[in-house]
Amino acid sequence: MKKHYSFIIASLLVSLFIYLFYRTDKTLINEVVIRTISFDNYASLRQAVNRFLPLNEFVIYSLPEGLWAFCITLTSRPYYIQQKNRRINCQVVPLICCIGLEIAQLLHVTKGRFDLMDIWATVIFWFIATFAFDDKQDKQNILMPINGRRMVCFISYGIVYLSHVLE
């Protein structure tokens, strides 16, 4: 798992960069930054970054979701959830959550816009995280007492919440 941390951190930083400078300023993370440095400073910085580094729509709107799926899949891989006689591999949870969120957006159950490209990005990055990295560790029940690795897994899910759009 330790060798995956650099991929996780890089993915989270790329997503953070995109959210800060290209997505709506109504996301939770952008609200935190605006309250920290002021809206005027944030707007000036955002404008400068957009002029210096224009990005296409796929990178702005779908890549971050794929990267989130990648991160939470890598951190979820070593775990399972035990439910009676059934064992659920936690690495499928990010795929279910991301696709479920898109369906919820399609049905207007939650804010956001349904985008098939988000689903494609999620599936592609989920496959990369699932099959491109060797994981010979024994799976552990995620609901057992918290340790450092479990904490990283829970924190990675919490970081995804920072992309939530506020009213």
Side-chain angles (χ1 to χ4, degrees):
M1 180 64 178
K2 287 182 183 178
K3 60 186 172 189
H4 303 329
Y5 286 141
S6 58
F7 290 106
I8 293 167
I9 291 168
S11 297
L12 291 174
L13 289 174
V14 168
S15 294
L16 175 64
F17 179 81
I18 292 168
Y19 264 83
L20 284 176
F21 299 113
Y22 298 92
R23 301 289 291 262
T24 177
D25 58 6
K26 299 294 184 212
T27 59
L28 183 58
I29 188 63
N30 289 356
E31 288 285 331
V32 169
V33 169
I34 289 167
R35 290 173 193 225
T36 304
I37 67 169
S38 85
F39 181 78
D40 292 338
N41 288 334
Y42 167 76
S44 296
L45 186 57
R46 179 183 172 116
Q47 187 177 43
V49 168
N50 274 259
R51 264 190 309 224
F52 178 73
L53 185 64
L55 299 177
N56 69 37
E57 283 195 18
F58 174 79
V59 172
I60 294 171
Y61 296 106
S62 297
L63 180 63
E65 185 158 345
L67 292 173
W68 295 131
F70 176 78
C71 292
I72 59 179
T73 301
L74 281 179
T75 61
S76 298
R77 281 180 65 179
Y79 304 109
Y80 64 84
I81 299 170
Q82 187 74 38
Q83 187 180 34
K84 296 185 183 177
N85 296 341
R86 183 179 231 180
R87 184 180 277 195
I88 301 166
N89 187 338
C90 286
Q91 79 183 29
V92 302
V93 172
L95 188 63
I96 293 167
C97 287
C98 292
I99 292 173
L101 178 62
E102 287 300 318
I103 292 169
Q105 290 173 349
L106 176 66
L107 300 174
H108 304 290
V109 173
T110 187
K111 291 175 112 185
R113 180 178 62 95
F114 173 80
D115 189 349
L116 196 54
M117 288 305 294
D118 287 357
I119 293 174
W120 280 113
T122 294
V123 170
I124 290 166
F125 280 94
W126 181 84
F127 268 104
I128 292 169
T130 299
F131 299 110
F133 293 89
D134 231 5
D135 188 21
K136 298 190 186 327
Q137 300 172 355
D138 289 334
K139 302 263 187 230
Q140 300 173 8
N141 187 340
I142 198 162
L143 301 177
M144 297 306 284
I146 296 292
N147 63 17
R149 286 186 11 192
R150 281 185 192 84
M151 186 61 71
V152 168
C153 182
F154 292 132
I155 288 170
S156 67
Y157 280 87
I159 288 173
V160 173
Y161 180 72
L162 293 174
S163 66
H164 177 69
V165 176
L166 301 172
E167 296 272 354

